[in-house]
Amino acid sequence: MNLISLKSEPVVNYCPSLLKSTPFFFFFFFSLGISNKARSKLGRVRSRNLLPFFVSRMFRLLLRSMSSLFLFSALFSIAGLLVEGSVHEYKGEKFVGRGNALVVHGGSEGIYFSRPSSNLTDMAANGDAFIRFEKVTFRRPEDLHNFTSGLVQAIIFEVEDRELIGGSAYGGQRAICCTPDLAKLDACTQGEIIHRPSTTNPGFPYVLTTSFSLDKDMAILPSRSIEITKTGMYNLYFMICDPNLKDVVVEEGKTIWKNPTGYLPGRMAPLMNFYAFMSIAFVILGIFWFSQYARFWKEVFPLQNCITLVITLGMFEMALWYFDYAEFNETGVRPTGTTVWAVTFGTVKRTVARLVILIVSMGYGVVRPTLGGLTSKVLMLGGTFFLTSEVLELVENVGAVSDISGKAILFLVLPVALLDAFFILWVFKSLSATLNKLQARRMMVKLDIYRKFTNALAVAVVVSVGWICYELYFKSRDVYNEHWQNAWVIPAFWQFLSFSLLCVICALWAPSQNSMR
């Protein structure tokens, strides 16, 4: 039996509250649907006014959604919900039986090594990596006060040393706690965790112990900092080998996990520099676009205003992610407000970008003067995508952070994936019809632009499928998160791909003196 396999998946603290609020969000979005009166108005709007009406309607919907999310984030603060990061707090966690042990998972994070230090109290000031225990307290039921208990232990080990935890006598079933047979062989001490010292990471696995004294219902682990001198994915478990203590809980306390450069978990640390790079990239793209916009502002048409909105949202999103990670790195606690706004700006940007690509693919302003009855369907698709993406991103980014993610996220990923697939099918179906109409009308200049646009989208889809296959391969080969140092590339790639596609769109539809022709 492998200790890593015993780990219970981390649960986001506020997830039940968020999921309970989902019906409210559904009601909110669909109550904003276009009324019959508005639909009839749409049918009378001229071609040049339809897109501004469409965009303003969608933008008002998203702004009202963002205001609700602002209230939502404020309610987080009022309710006093703790947002955990590299500071892992414990409040009433119950032990779960696994094998012959009682187990609570205390955290899993990638940590980079630091230089050996002789003064443990100065490790934080010197920028060293460590895991620190602060007042981790265990409580047992009142009816068990009248005896001295066995040990309550905390064990920290690097994932490569997982086979050093547990053992078996005479090739029998593998146990985590020392059994009488193993004790007779002098392989371990009965009532304690079986572990052997690592040959590559001196001092690990590291074990802290405490016990309940007679007539005491509380036991406290000694406050201590454990220096990390080898880079790796570290796991913390609280374990009990005494079956009489099955009702013990981790009453309170916290552990602080720190990398040499700050409190960001090792898997997330490279993303802070990535978002700084992307912020600069968006600024450069914005300078190009806004300079063209200022030069040819009389020739600007509504689609270019939408692209301007996407670029602006991208600038805000990248800047907010950078500040979110920077504050997280500085304090060890993720800033709820900044994270919620970064998530929301990103979701709005992705929603608007998909809607722009869709209406461009439909040939609005080129082969068809209006979207007709499709307007309400496009708006509903955009609103649903915003809803599902926002919930998914909030659950993934706001709350307890661990370098081993839970499988429950799959439930929220599927609706977003299905909507994305629907977007792709609708876009390419619309592009095919638009290309045929342009060719039939011999509009060769516009046909050339649309062909380049189609090729860019096709390349993006092919690259996306290839990257998804790589992700599946990467995760299937990395069951124990041993390649956590490279995991940041996966989310970073999607940001880079969307930015690249935006650059192509900006190049094809940049404001010029021929924009309106």
Side-chain angles (χ1 to χ4, degrees):
M1 182 179 295
N2 193 302
L3 185 58
I4 296 289
S5 65
L6 300 181
K7 173 189 169 298
S8 58
E9 296 293 345
V11 179
V12 181
N13 290 342
Y14 68 90
C15 193
S17 301
L18 181 60
L19 295 179
K20 287 177 183 177
S21 67
T22 301
F24 162 76
F25 281 118
F26 270 111
F27 173 78
F28 175 76
F29 266 98
F30 288 104
S31 67
L32 291 175
I34 299 178
S35 63
N36 292 330
K37 182 178 179 180
R39 289 193 187 96
S40 63
K41 180 180 178 181
L42 276 173
R44 298 193 299 270
V45 175
R46 293 180 180 272
S47 170
R48 66 176 184 275
N49 294 327
L50 179 60
L51 189 57
F53 178 84
F54 172 85
V55 172
S56 64
R57 186 78 186 184
M58 189 65 197
F59 193 61
R60 286 199 301 271
L61 184 149
L62 293 175
L63 282 177
R64 292 168 69 179
S65 304
M66 288 168 67
S67 65
S68 295
L69 289 167
F70 177 77
L71 176 61
F72 188 52
S73 64
L75 289 175
F76 273 137
S77 301
I78 295 172
L81 292 175
L82 179 66
V83 180
E84 298 179 2
S86 285
V87 178
H88 295 258
E89 288 223 14
Y90 313 108
K91 292 186 177 180
E93 278 80 4
K94 295 182 179 180
F95 282 81
V96 179
R98 292 291 185 270
N100 67 339
L102 300 168
V103 179
V104 167
H105 179 247
S108 298
E109 286 189 16
I111 302 180
Y112 292 91
F113 79 96
S114 61
R115 302 180 308 276
S117 173
S118 59
N119 189 349
L120 296 179
T121 60
D122 292 336
M123 282 193 296
N126 295 336
D128 293 325
F130 60 83
I131 301 173
R132 185 164 66 230
F133 288 79
E134 292 189 358
K135 299 180 180 178
V136 178
T137 305
F138 305 92
R139 179 176 56 80
R140 63 178 175 177
E142 294 182 0
D143 57 345
L144 299 178
H145 288 186
N146 57 352
F147 69 91
T148 302
S149 74
L151 298 176
V152 180
Q153 297 179 290
I155 183 167
I156 302 171
F157 62 96
E158 204 270 321
V159 69
E160 292 181 358
D161 298 329
R162 58 187 178 275
E163 297 298 335
L164 301 178
I165 312 299
S168 62
Y170 311 112
Q173 185 177 2
R174 191 177 181 85
I176 297 174
C177 294
C178 187
T179 63
D181 290 337
L182 286 170
K184 290 176 183 178
L185 297 174
D186 294 327
C188 54
T189 303
Q190 188 170 353
E192 296 186 9
I193 302 170
I194 304 169
H195 66 281
R196 298 174 298 283
S198 171
T199 57
T200 59
N201 193 6
F204 285 85
Y206 192 96
V207 179
L208 284 173
T209 62
T210 187
S211 62
F212 291 95
S213 301
L214 185 64
D215 296 328
K216 298 292 185 182
D217 63 345
M218 295 289 187
I220 302 176
L221 280 175
S223 296
R224 188 168 301 174
S225 294
I226 298 95
E227 188 171 14
I228 306 300
T229 56
K230 181 192 174 192
T231 297
M233 172 67 72
Y234 285 84
N235 300 275
L236 166 63
Y237 289 87
F238 302 111
M239 306 188 71
I240 297 175
C241 294
D242 185 349
N244 294 321
L245 298 178
K246 62 180 180 179
D247 294 323
V248 167
V249 297
V250 187
E251 180 71 8
E252 61 181 1
K254 62 183 177 181
T255 55
I256 300 172
W257 307 55
K258 183 180 179 298
N259 274 283
T261 56
Y263 291 97
L264 268 178
R267 173 179 270 182
M268 300 172 66
L271 287 172
M272 186 171 71
N273 293 330
F274 172 76
Y275 284 122
F277 167 79
M278 289 301 298
S279 297
I280 296 171
F282 264 98
V283 168
I284 294 173
L285 178 62
I287 290 173
F288 161 75
W289 182 265
F290 293 133
S291 63
Q292 291 294 106
Y293 195 100
R295 285 178 61 193
F296 305 105
W297 62 274
K298 292 184 178 180
E299 301 293 325
V300 169
F301 59 97
L303 173 61
Q304 291 167 332
N305 291 329
C306 294
I307 296 173
T308 303
L309 175 61
V310 174
I311 295 173
T312 304
L313 289 170
M315 288 181 177
F316 278 106
E317 180 195 9
M318 294 300 108
L320 284 168
W321 277 125
Y322 174 77
F323 289 123
D324 175 60
Y325 277 55
E327 185 173 347
F328 189 5
N329 192 52
E330 183 70 22
T331 63
V333 178
R334 196 155 194 181
T336 305
T338 307
T339 306
V340 169
W341 281 109
V343 165
T344 302
F345 270 97
T347 307
V348 172
K349 185 199 74 175
R350 288 191 296 276
T351 304
V352 173
R354 280 162 174 75
L355 292 177
V356 169
I357 290 174
L358 182 57
I359 62 178
V360 167
S361 302
M362 290 177 175
Y364 167 74
V366 178
V367 297
R368 58 191 307 169
T370 69
L371 295 180
L374 293 175
T375 303
S376 59
K377 296 179 181 178
V378 171
L379 282 172
M380 186 167 291
L381 178 61
T384 306
F385 179 82
F386 176 82
L387 166 70
T388 55
S389 296
E390 184 76 3
V391 172
L392 172 63
E393 294 294 325
L394 285 173
V395 170
E396 283 188 327
N397 292 284
V398 183
V401 175
S402 177
D403 271 352
I404 301 178
S405 57
K407 295 179 181 178
I409 296 297
L410 181 65
F411 176 76
L412 300 174
V413 170
L414 285 175
V416 178
L418 290 173
L419 288 170
D420 260 330
F422 189 79
F423 262 115
I424 291 171
L425 291 174
W426 199 356
V427 163
F428 278 100
K429 182 180 178 181
S430 301
L431 272 175
S432 178
T434 301
L435 288 170
N436 290 335
K437 289 180 181 178
L438 288 172
Q439 192 165 10
R441 297 178 185 181
R442 298 188 178 277
M443 304 171 70
M444 304 312 295
V445 176
K446 294 179 179 179
L447 178 62
D448 182 60
I449 292 175
Y450 266 82
R451 279 176 174 168
K452 291 178 180 177
F453 178 58
T454 303
N455 291 338
L457 283 179
V459 170
V461 170
V462 170
V463 172
S464 297
V465 172
W467 190 255
I468 290 171
C469 293
Y470 171 76
E471 275 193 56
L472 293 173
Y473 170 79
F474 179 87
K475 292 178 180 179
S476 65
R477 300 269 299 191
D478 191 30
V479 178
Y480 300 116
N481 287 274
E482 294 175 272
H483 302 295
W484 57 274
Q485 295 179 71
N486 301 321
W488 70 273
V489 176
I490 291 176
F493 172 82
W494 294 112
Q495 292 283 3
F496 182 77
L497 180 63
S498 63
F499 177 76
S500 300
L501 187 58
L502 179 59
C503 289
V504 171
I505 294 173
C506 289
L508 291 176
W509 278 281
S512 67
Q513 59 186 1
N514 298 319
S515 293
M516 298 292 290
R517 298 179 186 177

